[in-house]
Every structure is written in C-alpha cells, then in structure tokens.
Amino acid sequence: MQRKYRLKNGRVFNYLRIKGQSNANKMLVLVHAPSKFPLKVGFIVSKKVDNRAIIRNKVRRRLREAFRAIIPFLKDNVNYIVIARDACGESSFEELANNLLHLIIKSDLLARKIDDDVAQRLKLKQSVLDKAKFD
C-alpha cells in the first residue's frame, strides 16, 4: 500500500477511536469517520493476536494488501482504522480479505461495484459481494 494512504498520526487515531463509527465481526473491527482530507487507513494488530512479532506483522501485511486492492472502490474523504482480533493469528489471506470486505459493506462504504479481477485475486466469496448496495 502506498504511503499516502497510511494513517500515522496518533491524534487522528485517538479521534477516530472516540468519534468514529465502528462495525465488527469475529476477526476484525472497522472504525471509520468522515474527513476533509483524502482517504487514510491505519492498522492495529496487538499482542492479543499472537505474542510473536512475525505473526503480527504477517497479519498486518495481509490486511494492508487486501485493503490496498479495495481502495479504488471505496468512498473518498473517509479515514479508517482496521483492528485485528484474536482469531486473525491463524487465519488465511482469503479469510481476512472476506472479513474486511464484509465490514466495509456492512458500513456502507463502497462507492462502486468491485471488479471481477479484484474479486478473483482476493478470492472474495460471492455471498459477501452480493450484499453490497450502491447509490
């Protein structure tokens, strides 16, 4: 994922945690809030996921890659935080991508339909894609 999309400022993280809306499933929590600046995203993978840094970094890399592929289809001017839960440590890339997309659809943050190429590359389930609604 490009650096211009990374959320690094601690104040913005705190603001999103306090003022943002959140949705969760068994693997992830998605916190989002509107912004006057372009899209930014931050990832939180704590030691609850796994005590080993190798596993935490692996989960973070997988989440970044899944989110990077979905960025062109998201609404702009929104900041996001993706928080990994315990179950992420032993999950595959496909499970993480499907859970992330499930939360994005649940939050109604998709601006347009996801291309078949992206869906095939991320191995997204058709049942998850069918739940998406567009304006």
Side-chain angles (χ1 to χ4, degrees), residues 9 12 22 25 37 61 70-71 73 86 91 96 101 106 110 123 135:
N9 192 338
V12 180
S22 67
N25 58 24
F37 301 108
R61 282 193 310 269
I70 297 172
I71 285 175
F73 308 103
D86 304 356
S91 61
L96 286 173
L101 183 63
K106 190 175 175 182
L110 278 181
K123 297 181 181 166
D135 296 336

Side-chain angles (χ1 to χ4, degrees), residues 20-51:
Q21 296 177 343
S22 67
N23 284 308
N25 58 24
K26 72 174 193 165
M27 284 195 188
L28 302 170
V29 177
L30 178 70
V31 181
H32 59 91
S35 172
K36 51 186 169 181
F37 301 108
L39 178 144
K40 297 247 186 220
V41 62
F43 299 93
I44 299 174
V45 182
S46 71
K47 283 190 176 183
K48 288 181 182 178
V49 172
D50 199 303
N51 231 4

Side-chain angles (χ1 to χ4, degrees), residues 5 39 66-76 80 101 104-105 108-122 124 129 132-134:
Y5 295 122
L39 178 144
F67 201 92
R68 184 195 63 78
I70 297 172
I71 285 175
F73 308 103
L74 294 174
K75 293 180 180 175
D76 203 19
Y80 303 91
L101 183 63
I104 289 171
I105 290 171
D108 195 31
L109 295 170
L110 278 181
R112 61 188 180 95
K113 187 178 185 296
I114 293 180
D115 294 340
D116 292 334
D117 297 337
V118 174
Q120 191 175 27
R121 188 172 36 147
L122 294 178
L124 299 174
L129 291 170
K133 296 176 185 139
F134 308 101

